[in-house]
Amino acid sequence: MKTIVHKRYQYYLMVLFMLFAFHPYLHSQAISGAAVQANFGIDADVYANKEQFLVPPTVSGIYDDWFFNSAFANGTGQNVIDQTNAAGLKTSIQANNNFTFEKRMSKPKNTMVGNFLWIDAVYGRDGNSTQSNSDSNTFSGNSNKNGDNPTTWALGSGSIPQKDDIVDVYGYLRRDLSPAALAVNPNGILWGYGGASKISSDGNSHFDFEFFRTEVSFNGSALVGTGSQAGHTAWTFDATGKILVPGDVLVAIDFENGGTKPLGSVRVWMSSADIANFNSRPDRPFDLTGVFDQGNGAPPYGYAEIKAKGGGILTNVFAVVNVTAATLGPPWGTLEGSQASFQDNYKALQFTEFGINLTALGLDSRNVNQGPCSNLLGSLIVKTRSSSSFTAELKDFSGPYLFGNITDVAVEGNVSNPLTCNNPTATLTATPTPPNATIKWYGPSPDGIADGPFIPGNAPVVSVKGVYTVYAYTNLEGCFAKKTVTVLENKELPNVNAGEDKALTCLITSIKLSGSSSTPNATYLWSTLDGNIVSDGTTLTPTIDKAGTYTLTVTDPINGCKKADDVVVTSTPPTPIDITCPEDNIKSSCFYADQAAVDAAFDTFKQSFTASGGNGTLTITGLENLTPPALCGGTVTVNYNVTDSCGLQKSCSATFTITAPSAVTAEAPEAVNASACAYADQAALDAAFETFKAGFKVSGGCDAKGEIQGTP
C-alpha cells in the first residue's frame, strides 16, 4: 500500500509540475454560459424565438438566431442564415454524406434590422473522414499548432479522429445600435457570434475561430493570402498604445467535463517587441494577460492573450453546449457518429455556440489609414485542437470563409437618354454595389462641380440638362461612393424656310410652293387653315390652288424638334379691260371732198377704237372686214368687242354715217312783161333786170349754185 501511495503522489507531483511548467500554454479564462446578447440567442440551439438551453429556458418569440422554424418556435425573431433551397440541400446530403456547401447571410451585408446592423454571416458544411470519406480540409502533419506561421502548416486531404471532425460552422457579426448600446459607445457595440458541431457528441470541444484581416483562400495544400507578418496581419500600436493597424484575432472555446465548463481565450497576433509595458500605455485598446505563444516560423510574432482593459472576459465572452438534450439542427439536417449518419437534430453535447463583445475587448477597430468602407475583418477559419492546450495539435479546419470583408461601396450612374423635343425628360438610374446600398441623387450642379439640390427617388425623372451626382451609402457610417453623370440636351431647332410669298391670278390658278431646309434627313409637312393643298404636302414643293396662309413644319429626325415657317399666297384680282370708243360720226357727204376723203375719215374713225388692261392677250373683234360708207351716203356700225385670256369681255359700238344732201331746187321769179316806157332809162331797165335776176334762187345739193345765162 505504501508503495502505491508513493507512486500516486509521484504522479500528482508530476502533473502539478507540468501544469506550472507549461502554464502559458494551458492558460485560458473562465467565461459566461448561455445568454441573449444584442437580441441574439447564445443558447446552443440554432432557431429564433426559443432559447432552449438558457437558464431557465424561454420561448421569447423575439430573439434572433441562426435559423427560423415556425413549428419549432414562432415569433418576430429572424434567421441570420439564408435558408433557401433547404429541401434540395437535404436531398444532396442524404445522397452524399460528404457533400459540402456554404450559405451566406439572409439579408444583404450591412442591413439595418430594427436597432441592429446585420454586418455579415456565414454557414459552412465541412467534409468528414468517416468510413471511406476523405476530408479535403485537414491538418495532415503532426506539428501544426496555433502560434505557427500558417505557411508552415501541412494541409490537405486526410482522415482525422471523429472527436475533432467538424460538421457545421457558423459565424455572424452584428452591431448593436440601440439607445442603450449608444449610451455605452457612440458607435454602438460590435458582437461576434460563432457556432460549430462535430461528428462526435462526446461533449469535449476544442474549437478555434480564427479571424484573418485578409481575404484568405485555400488551394488544396496551403492557405493563400494570410498576411505578411509571419503569415498573419499583426496588430501594431504607437507609443501610447493607440492602434495603428488592427491584426488577426483568434477566439479559442473549450468545453470539457461533458460540456459543463466553458473556457475561453481571446488572442491577437502581435510582435513580441510590443509586449513590454503594454498594459501601462494609456491608449491601449485592451490588456494583455501575459500569455504569449509563438511557434514554427512565427518569431518575432505570436498570439498574445488579451482581456478587457482593466478587467477580464467573463462578462464579454459567452459560450454554451447543448448539454442536456438534443436540439433541432439546420433546416437541411446534420451528421453524427462513425457512419456520418444523417440527423435532423444535434445530439446532446454536439453543438457549441459562443458570443463575444468585440467592442468591450477593444477589437472593434480598423486601420487608422483605412476609410469607413474598409474591411472590419476579412476571413474566418474554424479549427479543432486535440486538447484544451492552445498549442495542442491542430486536426481539422473548415474554411476559409470570407467574413466581415466589406466590398467597398461603388455606384454606376446612368442616363436613359439625352433631353430632346421628343423626349423632354430623362430617367436617372444607379447600379450600386452592394445592391442594397441607399441611393441619393443631387442636381443639376450649379457649376459642374458642386452638388445640386437633392432629388427624391432612386430613379428620378429630370427635365433639365446638366451634371447630376449619385451617392450610394451603406449602413456603415461615412461609407459611400459617388458618381456624376451628365444629362445632355439636344433641342436645336431644325432649319426651315417656307419660301417667298406667292400670288394666284386668273391666269395662274395653281402654283408650287418653294420651301427649303438645310437639316439633314428632315421630314416636311405643309398645313393650311384657309388654303388648299392639291398634292405633295410632305415635300418642300407642294401644289396649292387657293389663296391662304401655308405653314411648312420641318422635323429633325434625330431630336424630334420642329420648327415652322409661313408663306402667304394671295389671289390677285383680274385686271379690268379698258376700251375707248369714238363718238358716233354723222356727217353729210358734203363734208367730204370725195370718196377717198370718206375712206380716210373711216380709217381714222376705226383707229379711235382702243383697248388696254385686261389679262394676258386681248382679243379684239369688230374692226375687221369693214367697208367705209359711200360718199353719197350710208352708215357703218362698228361693234367693238375685246376679250382677255381670263375670259373678261368688254364691248362698245359706234356708227360712221354719211348723210346724202337734199335735191337741188331752182326758183325763178315771175316773168316780167313791162313796157319800155316803164323804165326811165337804160339804167332803170338794167336795175330792174338785176332785181329780176336776183329773184332766181337755188337750194339743196352740196352748196348748189345757179348760173344765169343770156343778156337782157
Side-chain angles (χ1 to χ4, degrees):
M1 271 307 276
K2 290 182 181 178
T3 303
I4 294 173
V5 173
H6 178 69
K7 288 183 178 179
R8 182 176 298 175
Y9 277 108
Q10 283 183 326
Y11 170 76
Y12 286 132
L13 287 171
M14 182 178 296
V15 170
L16 288 172
F17 171 77
M18 292 178 65
L19 284 172
F20 284 107
F22 296 97
H23 171 77
Y25 302 99
L26 300 177
H27 187 274
S28 56
Q29 302 176 71
I31 56 178
S32 299
V36 173
Q37 295 293 340
N39 207 63
F40 188 91
I42 310 166
D43 58 333
D45 76 60
V46 295
Y47 283 90
N49 301 306
K50 182 177 179 179
E51 298 70 50
Q52 185 176 353
F53 300 103
L54 202 64
V55 180
T58 61
V59 182
S60 65
I62 59 172
Y63 298 131
D64 302 328
D65 216 314
W66 303 106
F67 303 113
F68 176 86
N69 185 322
S70 60
F72 185 78
N74 203 5
T76 59
Q78 301 184 54
N79 55 295
V80 301
I81 298 297
D82 174 23
Q83 298 178 205
T84 57
N85 193 34
L89 292 172
K90 184 174 183 178
T91 298
S92 297
I93 294 167
Q94 290 174 326
N96 174 13
N97 66 0
N98 209 19
F99 177 71
T100 61
F101 61 94
E102 178 181 336
K103 298 289 278 184
R104 303 301 307 188
M105 194 161 67
S106 61
K107 302 182 187 301
K109 288 181 179 180
N110 298 301
T111 296
M112 280 297 298
V113 181
N115 289 326
F116 304 97
L117 178 64
W118 293 25
I119 298 172
D120 197 7
V122 65
Y123 163 90
R125 169 57 59 88
D126 192 42
N128 65 81
S129 59
T130 60
Q131 298 176 295
S132 60
N133 290 339
S134 178
D135 190 336
S136 61
N137 293 23
T138 68
F139 291 89
S140 55
N142 294 320
S143 59
N144 304 296
K145 298 179 180 181
N146 286 325
D148 291 346
N149 182 331
T151 62
T152 68
W153 288 338
L155 307 175
S157 299
S159 177
I160 59 234
Q162 293 177 27
K163 72 182 185 67
D164 303 314
D165 201 347
I166 300 171
V167 178
D168 302 305
V169 296
Y170 302 77
Y172 175 46
L173 285 173
R174 159 179 294 203
R175 188 176 295 279
D176 184 353
L177 296 172
S178 66
L182 293 174
V184 174
N185 188 301
N187 294 319
I189 297 176
L190 180 65
W191 281 88
Y193 306 93
S197 68
K198 302 182 303 176
I199 285 287
S200 170
S201 56
D202 62 0
N204 293 321
S205 300
H206 309 293
F207 285 107
D208 297 322
F209 290 79
E210 193 163 16
F211 301 95
F212 291 83
R213 294 284 174 174
T214 55
E215 294 188 4
V216 181
S217 61
F218 178 54
N219 63 11
S221 61
L223 296 174
V224 179
T226 57
S228 58
Q229 284 86 41
H232 286 279
T233 300
W235 289 73
T236 59
F237 312 88
D238 67 11
T240 70
K242 183 178 180 180
I243 298 170
L244 297 177
V245 177
D248 295 349
V249 177
L250 188 150
V251 179
I253 301 295
D254 293 282
F255 283 93
E256 290 189 325
N257 297 325
T260 59
K261 293 183 178 180
L263 296 175
S265 178
V266 181
R267 310 224 178 186
V268 297
W269 190 258
M270 60 188 292
S271 171
S272 58
D274 282 327
I275 293 177
N277 301 318
F278 185 86
N279 288 354
S280 63
R281 299 182 190 184
D283 296 328
R284 68 191 184 281
F286 39 70
D287 284 343
L288 303 181
T289 67
V291 177
F292 182 77
D293 291 294
Q294 56 184 185
N296 188 22
Y301 301 99
Y303 266 125
E305 188 180 59
I306 68 168
K307 60 182 179 178
K309 185 177 180 181
I313 67 171
L314 180 63
T315 59
N316 299 310
V317 181
F318 301 82
V320 62
V321 172
N322 63 322
V323 174
T324 59
T327 187
L328 184 62
W332 37 82
T334 188
L335 304 173
E336 193 275 335
S338 61
Q339 305 298 310
S341 302
F342 178 85
Q343 306 284 336
D344 286 317
N345 296 333
Y346 285 127
K347 285 191 174 181
L349 302 173
Q350 190 180 4
F351 179 64
T352 301
E353 186 173 28
F354 79 91
I356 179 171
N357 184 334
L358 296 170
T359 299
L361 291 176
L363 301 176
D364 181 7
S365 302
R366 288 189 177 88
N367 188 325
V368 293
N369 297 316
Q370 290 178 312
C373 296
S374 303
N375 285 359
L376 189 60
L377 288 175
S379 302
L380 167 65
I381 294 177
V382 180
K383 305 176 307 211
T384 55
R385 284 173 276 113
S386 59
S387 72
S388 60
S389 171
F390 183 73
T391 55
E393 286 290 332
L394 299 175
K395 294 298 184 180
D396 193 13
F397 75 94
S398 182
Y401 301 100
L402 294 179
F403 185 68
N405 64 313
I406 308 302
T407 301
D408 282 357
V409 63
V411 65
E412 290 295 329
N414 302 281
V415 182
S416 62
N417 54 268
L419 301 178
T420 65
C421 298
N422 271 350
N423 295 302
T425 62
T427 300
L428 306 180
T429 56
T431 305
T433 302
N436 67 322
T438 299
I439 295 299
K440 291 185 179 181
W441 282 97
Y442 298 85
S445 169
D447 55 9
I449 300 174
D451 293 343
F454 172 69
I455 310 171
N458 282 356
V461 177
V462 299
S463 59
V464 179
K465 69 178 180 179
V467 175
Y468 291 79
T469 303
V470 60
Y471 286 82
Y473 296 91
T474 69
N475 288 320
L476 299 177
E477 183 178 358
C479 180
F480 67 89
K482 64 181 286 189
K483 187 75 76 172
T484 59
V485 298
T486 301
V487 176
L488 302 175
E489 182 177 80
N490 178 6
K491 291 185 179 180
E492 183 178 353
L493 298 177
N495 170 264
V496 59
N497 186 343
E500 298 294 328
D501 291 346
K502 295 183 180 294
L504 293 171
T505 67
C506 59
L507 295 176
I508 305 173
T509 57
S510 67
I511 55 175
K512 278 186 174 293
L513 301 180
S514 52
S516 63
S517 174
S518 60
T519 301
N521 303 314
T523 58
Y524 317 110
L525 180 65
W526 287 91
S527 60
T528 181
L529 294 176
D530 51 358
N532 181 59
I533 299 171
V534 177
S535 63
D536 299 325
T538 56
T539 71
L540 288 171
T541 55
T543 299
I544 61 96
D545 64 357
K546 185 180 178 183
T549 298
Y550 292 83
T551 301
L552 170 60
T553 301
V554 175
T555 302
D556 186 332
I558 295 177
N559 61 16
C561 293
K562 302 175 186 292
K563 189 177 181 182
D565 189 34
D566 292 338
V567 63
V568 176
V569 176
T570 57
S571 179
T572 302
T575 302
I577 300 172
D578 292 325
I579 61 174
T580 302
C581 291
E583 298 291 333
D584 290 341
N585 186 81
I586 303 174
K587 288 186 173 59
S588 170
S589 60
C590 298
F591 183 78
Y592 302 100
D594 50 28
Q595 185 63 45
V598 170
D599 293 346
F602 188 68
D603 283 340
T604 300
F605 176 76
K606 288 194 298 179
Q607 291 173 10
S608 298
F609 288 89
T610 62
S612 64
N615 304 274
T617 302
L618 296 179
T619 302
I620 300 174
T621 61
L623 295 178
E624 65 279 3
N625 302 320
L626 293 177
T627 301
L631 178 63
C632 292
T635 299
V636 176
T637 299
V638 178
N639 293 311
Y640 188 67
N641 185 71
V642 180
T643 304
D644 67 8
S645 299
C646 293
L648 295 182
Q649 184 268 336
K650 198 167 187 181
S651 62
C652 64
S653 63
T655 60
F656 189 92
T657 302
I658 296 178
T659 57
S662 57
V664 176
T665 303
E667 182 181 347
E670 289 182 6
V672 175
N673 282 317
S675 164
C677 296
Y679 301 101
D681 50 27
Q682 187 60 43
L685 177 60
D686 291 342
F689 184 69
E690 288 301 326
T691 302
F692 176 77
K693 286 194 299 182
F696 285 95
K697 298 181 178 178
V698 177
S699 63
C702 296
D703 193 21
K705 294 181 173 48
E707 179 181 353
I708 298 175
Q709 298 177 346
T711 57

